């Protein structure tokens, strides 16, 4: 059963869109299994650049069926904005499937997200303000709105009323905001029902039948391992499970059907939002990585925090995801440094620690222990095979592979679809 999971092995923004697109022509289904439009993927096809926030990257691959699974939260306005934008550029989006069990991001979820984050002040999490967290909270509190609810006005109205009973009390009495009218929300959501109808499906059934027919299914995670609600740098995390286990619950496919788990690693490290980041740079090197790497969030537009490669979190990602392979991206960005530091361990309270500490306080105080690797000055963007890389670049890749605990099977040497070195096939 050829089911693959592809996910971020750092804090997100590793280049998952490029990796998914590389496989897109060889797979039958590409499935988003968690997150919402707080995730951003950039895919470069020829001289065209596509920024995807909610849609699976496979939507750009002819013959591939893109699927939004039950674990995703969907903002209908964002969904149709993306679909319309792709249609205007000649992309066929008619094969998209959306789970009827996926939860809807309502207008009041967005409002709650924004006012709550502002209220936290210095203690803010650094959310995107797009209503993702409050929607997942509603899901867990069993007052969430699902896609299928749009086709029963009575149920939809009851659910909106239940959700707003408490939220309006909080908005008016705690945050001094106006109450949100139930009828207004119901009317807005019902306005999407007919437009969504052609895409809604029992995606759990569709995907399991596809695997039974030996179709190739790729499960695409948003964000990254260190942003996982259970296994990330809590509380500075997302509200879902980007780790490999999330693919099973977020798409309704059993773990015995997963044949390969591919982690995407950037050749250095970045992070968006608040939270600890041991290798973060505040000097010219950090600015250079940001400038050369174009490190600006696809969804947020915020500058990404930049730092050297962290082998400790790479090993952690290998462990919690059961990674079988790595795809190393943006190796070309490191061209020009005489020496490249790599974090091989942490120093915490004077002690060397080689594994990710489970204690939030310890991780917050972790200082990177660096090993210096020789750099290279040659342009590597035209490299088509591993042997085409400069010797020092080859040594850098091999060192990262040994430190991270899984083979590096592909290397990104530029942003383009064809600027990738495949060492081992993922299929």
């Amino acid at each position: 059963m050829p089911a693959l999971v592809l996910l971020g092995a750092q804090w997100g923004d590793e280049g998952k869109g490029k990796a998914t697109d590389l496989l897109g022509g060889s797979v039958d289904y590409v499935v988003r299994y968690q997150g919402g439009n707080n995730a951003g993927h950039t895919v470069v096809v020829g001289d065209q650049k596509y920024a995807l926030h909610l849609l699976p990257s496979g939507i750009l691959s002819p013959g591939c069926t893109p699927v939004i699974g039950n674990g995703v939260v969907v903002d209908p306005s964002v969904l149709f904005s993306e679909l319309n934008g792709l249609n205007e550029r000649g992309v066929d989006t008619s094969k998209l499937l959306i789970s009827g069990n996926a939860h809807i991001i309502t207008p009041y979820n967005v409002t709650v997200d924004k006012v709550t984050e502002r209220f936290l002040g210095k203690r803010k999490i650094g959310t995107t303000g797009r209503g993702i967290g409050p929607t997942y909270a509603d899901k867990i509190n069993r007052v969430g709105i699902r896609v299928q609810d749009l086709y029963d006005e009575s149920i939809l109205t009851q659910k909106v009323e239940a959700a707003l009973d408490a939220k309006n009390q909080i908005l008016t009495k705690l945050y001094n905001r106006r109450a949100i009218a139930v009828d207004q929300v119901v009317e807005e959501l019902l306005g999407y029902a007919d437009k969504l109808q052609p895409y809604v499906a029992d995606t759990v059934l569709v995907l399991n039948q596809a695997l039974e027919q030996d179709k190739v299914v790729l499960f695409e995670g948003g964000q990254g391992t260190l942003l996982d609600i259970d296994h990330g740098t809590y509380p500075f995390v997302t509200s879902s499970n980007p780790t490999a286990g999330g693919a099973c619950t977020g798409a309704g496919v059993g773990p015995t059907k997963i044949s390969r788990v591919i982690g995407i690693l950037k050749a250095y490290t970045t992070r968006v939002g608040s939270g600890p980041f041991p290798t973060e740079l505040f000097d010219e090197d950090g600015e250079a990585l940001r400038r050369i790497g174009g490190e600006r969030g696809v969804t947020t537009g915020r500058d990404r925090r930049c730092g050297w490669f962290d082998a400790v979190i790479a090993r952690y990602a290998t462990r919690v995801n059961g990674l079988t392979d790595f795809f190393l991206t943006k190796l070309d960005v490191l061209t020009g440094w005489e020496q490249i530091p790599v974090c091989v361990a942490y120093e915490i309270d004077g002690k060397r620690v080689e594994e990710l500490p489970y204690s939030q306080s310890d991780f917050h105080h972790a200082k990177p222990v660096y090993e210096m690797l020789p750099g290279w000055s040659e342009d590597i963007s035209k490299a088509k095979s591993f042997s085409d890389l400069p010797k020092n670049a080859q040594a850098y890749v091999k060192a990262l592979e040994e430190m991270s605990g899984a083979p590096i099977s592909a290397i990104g040497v530029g942003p383009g679809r064809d600027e990738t070195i495949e060492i081992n096939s993922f299929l």
Side-chain angles (χ1 to χ4, degrees):
M1 289 171 285
L4 302 86
V5 179
L6 189 148
L7 51 84
Q10 295 160 316
W11 274 287
D13 305 309
E14 301 94 346
K16 294 179 291 295
K18 178 181 175 66
T20 306
D21 182 61
L22 175 69
L23 292 164
S26 306
V27 302
D28 301 294
Y29 293 82
V30 174
V31 187
R32 274 288 305 276
Y33 59 84
Q34 50 74 225
N37 55 298
N38 56 342
H41 292 164
T42 299
V43 179
V44 180
V45 182
D47 59 353
Q48 296 291 309
K49 180 182 288 187
Y50 299 87
L52 304 175
H53 307 279
L54 179 60
L55 294 170
S57 300
I59 202 160
L60 298 174
S61 300
C64 179
T65 299
V67 179
I68 293 177
N70 57 274
V72 178
V73 291
V74 179
D75 185 326
S77 64
V78 172
L79 173 69
F80 288 112
S81 175
E82 276 199 56
L83 288 172
N84 292 338
L86 291 178
N87 290 334
E88 289 172 2
R89 297 175 69 177
V91 177
D92 179 13
T93 61
S94 62
K95 297 182 72 174
L96 175 67
L97 299 178
I98 302 173
S99 171
N101 289 338
H103 280 247
I104 295 284
I105 300 173
T106 66
Y108 52 79
N109 292 136
V110 178
T111 299
V112 168
D113 196 1
K114 290 179 178 178
V115 299
T116 302
E117 187 77 349
R118 280 199 294 268
F119 185 78
L120 287 172
K122 293 181 179 179
R123 293 176 291 114
K124 66 182 180 180
I125 303 299
T127 76
T128 58
R130 285 161 168 77
I132 311 295
T135 304
Y136 276 113
D138 280 359
K139 177 179 180 177
I140 298 304
N141 288 327
R142 288 158 290 192
V143 293
I145 309 299
R146 299 193 293 181
V147 169
Q148 60 173 283
D149 296 331
L150 303 189
Y151 303 100
D152 189 319
E153 186 174 349
S154 175
I155 289 178
L156 176 63
T157 302
Q158 291 175 43
K159 287 192 169 187
V160 173
E161 286 176 343
L164 285 178
D165 275 348
K167 286 182 174 57
N168 275 335
Q169 294 291 319
I170 294 170
L171 286 171
T172 57
K173 296 180 180 179
L174 180 60
Y175 298 124
N176 197 30
R177 297 290 294 263
R178 283 183 293 183
I180 298 172
V182 172
D183 291 347
Q184 182 179 343
V185 173
V186 170
E187 181 180 357
E188 180 174 337
L189 294 179
L190 288 175
Y192 294 112
D194 288 343
K195 294 173 68 177
L196 276 169
Q197 183 69 67
Y199 304 109
V200 180
D202 181 352
T203 56
V204 172
L205 178 62
V206 169
L207 294 173
N208 279 281
Q209 287 180 336
L211 290 170
E212 290 166 5
Q213 297 165 9
D214 289 328
K215 301 290 186 182
V216 181
V217 180
L218 178 65
F219 298 93
E220 174 186 59
Q223 292 95 26
T225 297
L226 275 295
L227 291 179
D228 188 277
I229 186 70
D230 289 296
H231 303 292
T233 49
Y234 190 90
F236 303 100
V237 292
T238 193
S239 301
S240 58
N241 293 106
T243 44
C248 299
T249 54
V253 172
T256 56
K257 295 184 178 180
I258 305 296
S259 54
R260 209 158 182 179
V261 184
I262 305 162
I264 313 304
L265 275 178
K266 197 175 282 184
Y268 47 101
T269 312
T270 62
R271 177 168 196 171
V272 170
S274 306
F277 181 1
T279 66
E280 184 173 10
L281 296 169
F282 302 95
D283 57 9
E284 292 180 0
D285 285 332
E287 285 300 319
L289 288 173
R290 185 177 296 112
R291 184 185 70 255
I292 300 168
E295 296 299 349
R296 182 175 289 267
V298 178
T299 294
T300 64
R302 293 180 287 185
D303 283 343
R304 296 177 185 137
R305 301 157 64 189
C306 295
W308 298 120
F309 185 86
D310 189 331
V312 179
I313 66 172
R315 285 195 293 274
Y316 178 75
T318 301
R319 183 177 303 114
V320 298
N321 292 297
L323 295 179
T324 60
D325 303 83
F326 278 117
F327 186 137
L328 185 69
T329 63
K330 291 197 169 184
L331 183 64
D332 54 300
V333 174
L334 296 180
T335 299
W337 269 272
E338 289 187 14
Q339 289 191 311
I340 305 172
V342 172
C343 173
V344 297
Y346 301 143
E347 181 185 314
I348 302 174
D349 293 332
K351 296 180 180 179
R352 181 185 173 102
V353 176
E354 298 193 356
E355 301 296 343
L356 195 78
Y358 77 90
S359 164
Q360 174 185 334
S361 297
D362 283 350
F363 189 61
H364 183 76
H365 293 101
K367 297 178 181 178
V369 176
Y370 287 117
E371 179 178 315
M372 305 302 291
L373 299 179
W376 60 92
S377 59
E378 299 92 330
D379 178 13
I380 66 171
S381 62
K382 305 303 180 186
K384 298 301 180 184
S385 66
F386 187 72
S387 60
D388 290 339
L389 293 174
K391 295 299 182 183
N392 286 350
Q394 292 182 34
Y396 184 80
V397 172
K398 289 177 180 177
L400 265 51
E401 180 178 75
E402 183 176 345
M403 295 174 189
S404 302
I408 293 174
S409 295
I411 304 167
V413 293
R417 175 181 268 182
D418 58 343
E419 292 177 313
T420 301
I421 297 170
E422 289 188 71
I423 300 173
N424 299 305
S425 174
F426 291 124
L427 297 173

